[in-house]
Amino acid sequence: MKVSKLTLLGLTVSLAMMLSFVETQIPPLMPTVPGMKMGLANIAIVFALYRFGGKEAFCISLVRLFLTGLLFNPSTIPYSLAGAVLSFVGMVLLKKIPAFSSVAVSVAGGVLHNVGQIAVAILIMETVQISYWLPFLLLSGTISGVAIGVAAGVLVRRIGLK
Amino acid sequence: MKKIRRADVILIVALLILSVGLYFLMVYHRKDGQGVIVSVDGQEIARYALTEEGTYSLNGGTNILVIEDGSAYLIEADCPDHLCVKQGKVRGVGQVITCLPNKLTVTVYGVKADVELIS
């Protein structure tokens, strides 16, 4: 691996971590809905997916997840892990379909992240009642996914790494 | 790479319809509960029928529960954020009010209360 690429991957990880931190500073819109987040860090992941490729984006996503988890709140790691893996699989699959742009990829990522989190919450807390929040999380994941997909699209178009 | 495409819009609209549809499906299928179970740290501490109107002090006074018109809600809490109070009224089976600082939950149960409540 070339040093320049290694540096760029490292920079993208720090960008993702910064975005996660920024997100912790924003008060939640609906505090009663557990797990409703914008997922700002997904800007960096979608960017990496288009600019570097699947393998690199997956590594960035996992490194980001464990580092921010350890820094801010380790108890959230299992939830984020399930969300991140499911969301990543969905994004890679959608990216293979040429009709979709980065917006659809990011929307799928946001929605599946929430689905993965709820699934783990059901397993850990042994209660299906949390699925009550699923419609709210689908809605918020879609809306924030659009915003994040547009932002990531701008980055991909403007920053060429050749 | 184009900014936003037709397929994107179709996916977004489909997801919006799905979330709204799912919400109304859940509201439509929700049955009114028989009563509420109050738990602290996963242990049941009290149980009230939704017909027993009144005000109840929970968990040694950390939260105050009100039951009226077949609904239950928390009117007071000693925690700093008061999120449980903001969660409002519950009346449908499976709805839950959660107070994380006091580890307290108020869960509406239906007819099969003893079988279906694992939490």
Tab-separated table of all heavy atoms in Angstrom, chain A residues 61-113:
chain	number	residue	atom	x	y	z
A	61	SER	N	-14.998	2.279	8.302
A	61	SER	CA	-16.212	2.239	9.105
A	61	SER	C	-15.960	1.531	10.448
A	61	SER	O	-16.359	2.016	11.507
A	61	SER	CB	-17.312	1.521	8.316
A	61	SER	OG	-18.441	1.340	9.111
A	62	LEU	N	-15.265	0.384	10.411
A	62	LEU	CA	-15.025	-0.376	11.649
A	62	LEU	C	-14.069	0.355	12.586
A	62	LEU	O	-14.304	0.434	13.795
A	62	LEU	CB	-14.461	-1.764	11.314
A	62	LEU	CG	-15.460	-2.758	10.728
A	62	LEU	CD1	-14.852	-4.146	10.668
A	62	LEU	CD2	-16.748	-2.798	11.540
A	63	VAL	N	-12.982	0.920	12.032
A	63	VAL	CA	-12.020	1.645	12.873
A	63	VAL	C	-12.702	2.836	13.540
A	63	VAL	O	-12.562	3.068	14.740
A	63	VAL	CB	-10.808	2.108	12.027
A	63	VAL	CG1	-9.906	3.032	12.832
A	63	VAL	CG2	-10.013	0.914	11.531
A	64	ARG	N	-13.494	3.570	12.744
A	64	ARG	CA	-14.234	4.724	13.249
A	64	ARG	C	-15.135	4.299	14.420
A	64	ARG	O	-15.169	4.901	15.474
A	64	ARG	CB	-15.077	5.266	12.095
A	64	ARG	CG	-15.722	6.609	12.199
A	64	ARG	CD	-16.921	6.743	13.050
A	64	ARG	NE	-18.004	5.794	12.803
A	64	ARG	CZ	-19.152	5.806	13.439
A	64	ARG	NH1	-19.381	6.722	14.338
A	64	ARG	NH2	-20.072	4.915	13.203
A	65	LEU	N	-15.839	3.187	14.184
A	65	LEU	CA	-16.826	2.716	15.144
A	65	LEU	C	-16.176	2.378	16.498
A	65	LEU	O	-16.633	2.821	17.547
A	65	LEU	CB	-17.468	1.478	14.527
A	65	LEU	CG	-18.684	0.846	15.153
A	65	LEU	CD1	-19.471	0.214	14.031
A	65	LEU	CD2	-18.300	-0.184	16.169
A	66	PHE	N	-15.061	1.607	16.448
A	66	PHE	CA	-14.440	1.210	17.713
A	66	PHE	C	-13.778	2.397	18.390
A	66	PHE	O	-13.865	2.540	19.616
A	66	PHE	CB	-13.439	0.074	17.480
A	66	PHE	CG	-14.126	-1.252	17.334
A	66	PHE	CD1	-14.232	-1.873	16.104
A	66	PHE	CD2	-14.710	-1.865	18.439
A	66	PHE	CE1	-14.891	-3.076	15.961
A	66	PHE	CE2	-15.374	-3.071	18.301
A	66	PHE	CZ	-15.465	-3.680	17.069
A	67	LEU	N	-13.132	3.284	17.616
A	67	LEU	CA	-12.462	4.426	18.243
A	67	LEU	C	-13.465	5.372	18.893
A	67	LEU	O	-13.300	5.758	20.047
A	67	LEU	CB	-11.613	5.176	17.205
A	67	LEU	CG	-10.333	4.442	16.777
A	67	LEU	CD1	-9.582	5.252	15.738
A	67	LEU	CD2	-9.440	4.162	17.973
A	68	THR	N	-14.521	5.739	18.164
A	68	THR	CA	-15.493	6.661	18.773
A	68	THR	C	-16.245	5.965	19.904
A	68	THR	O	-16.554	6.581	20.910
A	68	THR	CB	-16.523	7.199	17.753
A	68	THR	OG1	-16.977	6.113	16.968
A	68	THR	CG2	-15.921	8.240	16.860
A	69	GLY	N	-16.514	4.660	19.734
A	69	GLY	CA	-17.183	3.909	20.793
A	69	GLY	C	-16.374	3.946	22.079
A	69	GLY	O	-16.888	4.239	23.155
A	70	LEU	N	-15.064	3.672	21.965
A	70	LEU	CA	-14.201	3.661	23.145
A	70	LEU	C	-14.067	5.056	23.737
A	70	LEU	O	-14.010	5.218	24.952
A	70	LEU	CB	-12.817	3.114	22.786
A	70	LEU	CG	-12.785	1.621	22.457
A	70	LEU	CD1	-11.414	1.210	21.942
A	70	LEU	CD2	-13.149	0.800	23.687
A	71	LEU	N	-14.044	6.092	22.868
A	71	LEU	CA	-13.874	7.458	23.367
A	71	LEU	C	-15.115	7.964	24.093
A	71	LEU	O	-15.029	8.584	25.133
A	71	LEU	CB	-13.587	8.402	22.195
A	71	LEU	CG	-12.140	8.514	21.718
A	71	LEU	CD1	-12.078	9.388	20.479
A	71	LEU	CD2	-11.275	9.103	22.817
A	72	PHE	N	-16.288	7.708	23.506
A	72	PHE	CA	-17.497	8.362	24.032
A	72	PHE	C	-18.350	7.430	24.880
A	72	PHE	O	-18.725	7.773	25.990
A	72	PHE	CB	-18.324	8.949	22.886
A	72	PHE	CG	-17.569	9.955	22.066
A	72	PHE	CD1	-17.457	9.816	20.703
A	72	PHE	CD2	-16.955	11.039	22.681
A	72	PHE	CE1	-16.749	10.746	19.957
A	72	PHE	CE2	-16.251	11.969	21.946
A	72	PHE	CZ	-16.139	11.818	20.582
A	73	ASN	N	-18.695	6.253	24.353
A	73	ASN	CA	-19.633	5.411	25.096
A	73	ASN	C	-19.507	3.943	24.655
A	73	ASN	O	-20.160	3.517	23.715
A	73	ASN	CB	-21.061	5.913	24.854
A	73	ASN	CG	-22.030	5.325	25.844
A	73	ASN	OD1	-21.687	4.429	26.618
A	73	ASN	ND2	-23.254	5.813	25.822
A	74	PRO	N	-18.637	3.169	25.350
A	74	PRO	CA	-18.377	1.783	24.917
A	74	PRO	C	-19.625	0.908	24.885
A	74	PRO	O	-19.699	-0.030	24.101
A	74	PRO	CB	-17.387	1.263	25.969
A	74	PRO	CG	-16.799	2.471	26.586
A	74	PRO	CD	-17.838	3.549	26.512
A	75	SER	N	-20.640	1.233	25.712
A	75	SER	CA	-21.815	0.362	25.770
A	75	SER	C	-22.610	0.381	24.474
A	75	SER	O	-23.454	-0.476	24.236
A	75	SER	CB	-22.712	0.768	26.940
A	75	SER	OG	-23.250	2.044	26.699
A	76	THR	N	-22.356	1.382	23.612
A	76	THR	CA	-23.126	1.448	22.369
A	76	THR	C	-22.485	0.629	21.247
A	76	THR	O	-23.074	0.488	20.178
A	76	THR	CB	-23.249	2.904	21.868
A	76	THR	OG1	-21.934	3.407	21.619
A	76	THR	CG2	-23.946	3.787	22.868
A	77	ILE	N	-21.277	0.079	21.487
A	77	ILE	CA	-20.550	-0.601	20.409
A	77	ILE	C	-21.342	-1.749	19.773
A	77	ILE	O	-21.432	-1.811	18.548
A	77	ILE	CB	-19.147	-1.049	20.884
A	77	ILE	CG1	-18.261	0.181	21.044
A	77	ILE	CG2	-18.503	-2.003	19.874
A	77	ILE	CD1	-16.855	-0.100	21.516
A	78	PRO	N	-21.951	-2.668	20.557
A	78	PRO	CA	-22.693	-3.761	19.892
A	78	PRO	C	-23.783	-3.256	18.960
A	78	PRO	O	-23.949	-3.790	17.854
A	78	PRO	CB	-23.314	-4.547	21.045
A	78	PRO	CG	-22.690	-4.057	22.284
A	78	PRO	CD	-21.947	-2.817	22.011
A	79	TYR	N	-24.491	-2.212	19.365
A	79	TYR	CA	-25.561	-1.663	18.528
A	79	TYR	C	-24.982	-1.066	17.251
A	79	TYR	O	-25.451	-1.336	16.150
A	79	TYR	CB	-26.337	-0.573	19.281
A	79	TYR	CG	-26.932	-1.039	20.574
A	79	TYR	CD1	-26.285	-0.820	21.777
A	79	TYR	CD2	-28.149	-1.709	20.594
A	79	TYR	CE1	-26.825	-1.256	22.969
A	79	TYR	CE2	-28.694	-2.143	21.768
A	79	TYR	CZ	-28.032	-1.920	22.959
A	79	TYR	OH	-28.565	-2.357	24.132
A	80	SER	N	-23.948	-0.229	17.417
A	80	SER	CA	-23.364	0.414	16.247
A	80	SER	C	-22.761	-0.611	15.302
A	80	SER	O	-22.826	-0.462	14.093
A	80	SER	CB	-22.263	1.392	16.657
A	80	SER	OG	-22.620	2.095	17.792
A	81	LEU	N	-22.166	-1.670	15.877
A	81	LEU	CA	-21.511	-2.683	15.044
A	81	LEU	C	-22.536	-3.350	14.128
A	81	LEU	O	-22.337	-3.442	12.918
A	81	LEU	CB	-20.821	-3.718	15.929
A	81	LEU	CG	-19.949	-4.734	15.210
A	81	LEU	CD1	-18.818	-4.039	14.461
A	81	LEU	CD2	-19.362	-5.737	16.189
A	82	ALA	N	-23.657	-3.777	14.706
A	82	ALA	CA	-24.698	-4.417	13.893
A	82	ALA	C	-25.212	-3.444	12.849
A	82	ALA	O	-25.370	-3.788	11.674
A	82	ALA	CB	-25.845	-4.887	14.784
A	83	GLY	N	-25.433	-2.189	13.278
A	83	GLY	CA	-25.917	-1.176	12.352
A	83	GLY	C	-24.926	-0.933	11.226
A	83	GLY	O	-25.293	-0.909	10.055
A	84	ALA	N	-23.658	-0.811	11.582
A	84	ALA	CA	-22.634	-0.483	10.585
A	84	ALA	C	-22.475	-1.617	9.570
A	84	ALA	O	-22.380	-1.365	8.371
A	84	ALA	CB	-21.304	-0.204	11.273
A	85	VAL	N	-22.456	-2.861	10.044
A	85	VAL	CA	-22.251	-3.986	9.127
A	85	VAL	C	-23.439	-4.120	8.172
A	85	VAL	O	-23.269	-4.197	6.947
A	85	VAL	CB	-22.024	-5.301	9.912
A	85	VAL	CG1	-22.036	-6.488	8.958
A	85	VAL	CG2	-20.709	-5.246	10.664
A	86	LEU	N	-24.657	-4.091	8.733
A	86	LEU	CA	-25.846	-4.224	7.889
A	86	LEU	C	-25.919	-3.068	6.884
A	86	LEU	O	-26.185	-3.270	5.692
A	86	LEU	CB	-27.095	-4.242	8.771
A	86	LEU	CG	-28.373	-4.704	8.087
A	86	LEU	CD1	-28.239	-6.141	7.621
A	86	LEU	CD2	-29.560	-4.588	9.038
A	87	SER	N	-25.658	-1.851	7.377
A	87	SER	CA	-25.731	-0.679	6.525
A	87	SER	C	-24.680	-0.775	5.419
A	87	SER	O	-24.939	-0.430	4.268
A	87	SER	CB	-25.551	0.564	7.395
A	87	SER	OG	-24.618	1.442	6.878
A	88	PHE	N	-23.506	-1.302	5.749
A	88	PHE	CA	-22.447	-1.395	4.751
A	88	PHE	C	-22.813	-2.379	3.644
A	88	PHE	O	-22.643	-2.088	2.459
A	88	PHE	CB	-21.125	-1.811	5.408
A	88	PHE	CG	-19.979	-1.664	4.477
A	88	PHE	CD1	-19.409	-0.423	4.271
A	88	PHE	CD2	-19.512	-2.745	3.764
A	88	PHE	CE1	-18.388	-0.274	3.373
A	88	PHE	CE2	-18.484	-2.601	2.864
A	88	PHE	CZ	-17.919	-1.358	2.662
A	89	VAL	N	-23.336	-3.547	4.038
A	89	VAL	CA	-23.745	-4.549	3.044
A	89	VAL	C	-24.772	-3.938	2.085
A	89	VAL	O	-24.663	-4.050	0.859
A	89	VAL	CB	-24.314	-5.799	3.744
A	89	VAL	CG1	-24.934	-6.746	2.722
A	89	VAL	CG2	-23.210	-6.520	4.520
A	90	GLY	N	-25.751	-3.228	2.652
A	90	GLY	CA	-26.788	-2.605	1.827
A	90	GLY	C	-26.217	-1.572	0.867
A	90	GLY	O	-26.589	-1.523	-0.304
A	91	MET	N	-25.280	-0.765	1.369
A	91	MET	CA	-24.712	0.299	0.525
A	91	MET	C	-23.908	-0.293	-0.624
A	91	MET	O	-23.981	0.182	-1.756
A	91	MET	CB	-23.835	1.222	1.380
A	91	MET	CG	-24.644	2.042	2.375
A	91	MET	SD	-23.800	3.523	2.950
A	91	MET	CE	-22.501	2.844	3.938
A	92	VAL	N	-23.118	-1.344	-0.332
A	92	VAL	CA	-22.312	-1.959	-1.390
A	92	VAL	C	-23.214	-2.554	-2.469
A	92	VAL	O	-22.972	-2.396	-3.667
A	92	VAL	CB	-21.379	-3.039	-0.789
A	92	VAL	CG1	-20.777	-3.898	-1.892
A	92	VAL	CG2	-20.272	-2.382	0.013
A	93	LEU	N	-24.304	-3.216	-2.034
A	93	LEU	CA	-25.207	-3.825	-3.017
A	93	LEU	C	-25.872	-2.763	-3.893
A	93	LEU	O	-25.950	-2.903	-5.108
A	93	LEU	CB	-26.272	-4.665	-2.301
A	93	LEU	CG	-25.764	-5.954	-1.649
A	93	LEU	CD1	-26.894	-6.691	-0.953
A	93	LEU	CD2	-25.106	-6.862	-2.693
A	94	LEU	N	-26.358	-1.666	-3.266
A	94	LEU	CA	-27.033	-0.629	-4.046
A	94	LEU	C	-26.078	0.079	-4.995
A	94	LEU	O	-26.450	0.485	-6.088
A	94	LEU	CB	-27.674	0.408	-3.116
A	94	LEU	CG	-29.090	0.146	-2.641
A	94	LEU	CD1	-29.742	1.443	-2.231
A	94	LEU	CD2	-29.924	-0.518	-3.707
A	95	LYS	N	-24.823	0.202	-4.566
A	95	LYS	CA	-23.841	0.908	-5.395
A	95	LYS	C	-23.586	0.132	-6.689
A	95	LYS	O	-23.229	0.708	-7.713
A	95	LYS	CB	-22.540	1.086	-4.617
A	95	LYS	CG	-21.554	1.976	-5.333
A	95	LYS	CD	-20.318	2.210	-4.501
A	95	LYS	CE	-19.216	2.855	-5.322
A	95	LYS	NZ	-18.402	1.901	-6.065
A	96	LYS	N	-23.789	-1.191	-6.651
A	96	LYS	CA	-23.579	-2.019	-7.841
A	96	LYS	C	-24.632	-1.757	-8.913
A	96	LYS	O	-24.443	-2.091	-10.077
A	96	LYS	CB	-23.600	-3.509	-7.463
A	96	LYS	CG	-22.327	-3.984	-6.773
A	96	LYS	CD	-22.326	-5.488	-6.639
A	96	LYS	CE	-21.242	-5.987	-5.704
A	96	LYS	NZ	-19.898	-5.669	-6.186
A	97	ILE	N	-25.800	-1.195	-8.496
A	97	ILE	CA	-26.858	-0.913	-9.467
A	97	ILE	C	-26.625	0.487	-10.034
A	97	ILE	O	-26.674	1.474	-9.293
A	97	ILE	CB	-28.247	-1.006	-8.795
A	97	ILE	CG1	-28.404	-2.381	-8.139
A	97	ILE	CG2	-29.352	-0.758	-9.809
A	97	ILE	CD1	-29.613	-2.508	-7.251
A	98	PRO	N	-26.368	0.613	-11.335
A	98	PRO	CA	-25.981	1.915	-11.891
A	98	PRO	C	-27.079	2.974	-11.807
A	98	PRO	O	-26.766	4.169	-11.831
A	98	PRO	CB	-25.664	1.600	-13.359
A	98	PRO	CG	-25.625	0.123	-13.472
A	98	PRO	CD	-26.386	-0.451	-12.340
A	99	ALA	N	-28.340	2.549	-11.710
A	99	ALA	CA	-29.428	3.532	-11.702
A	99	ALA	C	-29.427	4.380	-10.440
A	99	ALA	O	-30.009	5.461	-10.409
A	99	ALA	CB	-30.767	2.818	-11.858
A	100	PHE	N	-28.780	3.904	-9.384
A	100	PHE	CA	-28.790	4.646	-8.115
A	100	PHE	C	-27.547	5.517	-7.984
A	100	PHE	O	-26.457	5.121	-8.377
A	100	PHE	CB	-28.835	3.674	-6.934
A	100	PHE	CG	-30.140	2.956	-6.793
A	100	PHE	CD1	-30.176	1.569	-6.836
A	100	PHE	CD2	-31.323	3.645	-6.606
A	100	PHE	CE1	-31.379	0.889	-6.698
A	100	PHE	CE2	-32.522	2.969	-6.465
A	100	PHE	CZ	-32.549	1.595	-6.503
A	101	SER	N	-27.730	6.703	-7.390
A	101	SER	CA	-26.578	7.565	-7.127
A	101	SER	C	-26.201	7.449	-5.650
A	101	SER	O	-26.743	6.635	-4.914
A	101	SER	CB	-26.912	9.015	-7.461
A	101	SER	OG	-27.712	9.564	-6.440
A	102	SER	N	-25.283	8.300	-5.214
A	102	SER	CA	-24.834	8.249	-3.821
A	102	SER	C	-25.974	8.556	-2.849
A	102	SER	O	-25.909	8.190	-1.680
A	102	SER	CB	-23.687	9.226	-3.608
A	102	SER	OG	-24.151	10.548	-3.780
A	103	VAL	N	-27.023	9.236	-3.334
A	103	VAL	CA	-28.140	9.566	-2.441
A	103	VAL	C	-28.862	8.292	-1.999
A	103	VAL	O	-29.087	8.064	-0.803
A	103	VAL	CB	-29.120	10.546	-3.135
A	103	VAL	CG1	-30.324	10.806	-2.254
A	103	VAL	CG2	-28.422	11.848	-3.459
A	104	ALA	N	-29.183	7.414	-2.973
A	104	ALA	CA	-29.866	6.167	-2.640
A	104	ALA	C	-28.975	5.291	-1.768
A	104	ALA	O	-29.430	4.662	-0.805
A	104	ALA	CB	-30.256	5.423	-3.910
A	105	VAL	N	-27.686	5.262	-2.094
A	105	VAL	CA	-26.732	4.456	-1.318
A	105	VAL	C	-26.737	4.911	0.139
A	105	VAL	O	-26.821	4.104	1.071
A	105	VAL	CB	-25.322	4.571	-1.937
A	105	VAL	CG1	-24.271	3.991	-1.010
A	105	VAL	CG2	-25.279	3.871	-3.282
A	106	SER	N	-26.697	6.233	0.340
A	106	SER	CA	-26.658	6.762	1.697
A	106	SER	C	-27.991	6.570	2.429
A	106	SER	O	-28.015	6.298	3.637
A	106	SER	CB	-26.265	8.236	1.624
A	106	SER	OG	-26.866	8.950	2.649
A	107	VAL	N	-29.097	6.675	1.710
A	107	VAL	CA	-30.417	6.441	2.325
A	107	VAL	C	-30.495	4.990	2.817
A	107	VAL	O	-30.889	4.722	3.958
A	107	VAL	CB	-31.553	6.738	1.316
A	107	VAL	CG1	-32.872	6.164	1.807
A	107	VAL	CG2	-31.693	8.228	1.105
A	108	ALA	N	-30.078	4.050	1.942
A	108	ALA	CA	-30.089	2.645	2.342
A	108	ALA	C	-29.202	2.445	3.563
A	108	ALA	O	-29.561	1.726	4.509
A	108	ALA	CB	-29.600	1.777	1.187
A	109	GLY	N	-28.049	3.107	3.566
A	109	GLY	CA	-27.134	2.999	4.699
A	109	GLY	C	-27.778	3.492	5.983
A	109	GLY	O	-27.715	2.821	7.019
A	110	GLY	N	-28.413	4.659	5.928
A	110	GLY	CA	-29.033	5.236	7.122
A	110	GLY	C	-30.152	4.357	7.659
A	110	GLY	O	-30.227	4.079	8.855
A	111	VAL	N	-31.017	3.893	6.760
A	111	VAL	CA	-32.161	3.086	7.170
A	111	VAL	C	-31.695	1.742	7.754
A	111	VAL	O	-32.137	1.319	8.820
A	111	VAL	CB	-33.120	2.870	5.974
A	111	VAL	CG1	-34.127	1.789	6.274
A	111	VAL	CG2	-33.823	4.166	5.636
A	112	LEU	N	-30.749	1.090	7.061
A	112	LEU	CA	-30.305	-0.225	7.525
A	112	LEU	C	-29.509	-0.135	8.829
A	112	LEU	O	-29.515	-1.062	9.634
A	112	LEU	CB	-29.471	-0.915	6.438
A	112	LEU	CG	-30.299	-1.399	5.243
A	112	LEU	CD1	-29.404	-1.925	4.147
A	112	LEU	CD2	-31.278	-2.481	5.683
A	113	HIS	N	-28.838	0.996	9.030
A	113	HIS	CA	-28.128	1.194	10.295
A	113	HIS	C	-29.128	1.129	11.450
A	113	HIS	O	-28.907	0.450	12.452
A	113	HIS	CB	-27.416	2.544	10.282
A	113	HIS	CG	-26.340	2.661	11.318
A	113	HIS	ND1	-26.600	2.973	12.624
A	113	HIS	CD2	-25.006	2.458	11.237
A	113	HIS	CE1	-25.466	2.975	13.302
A	113	HIS	NE2	-24.477	2.667	12.492
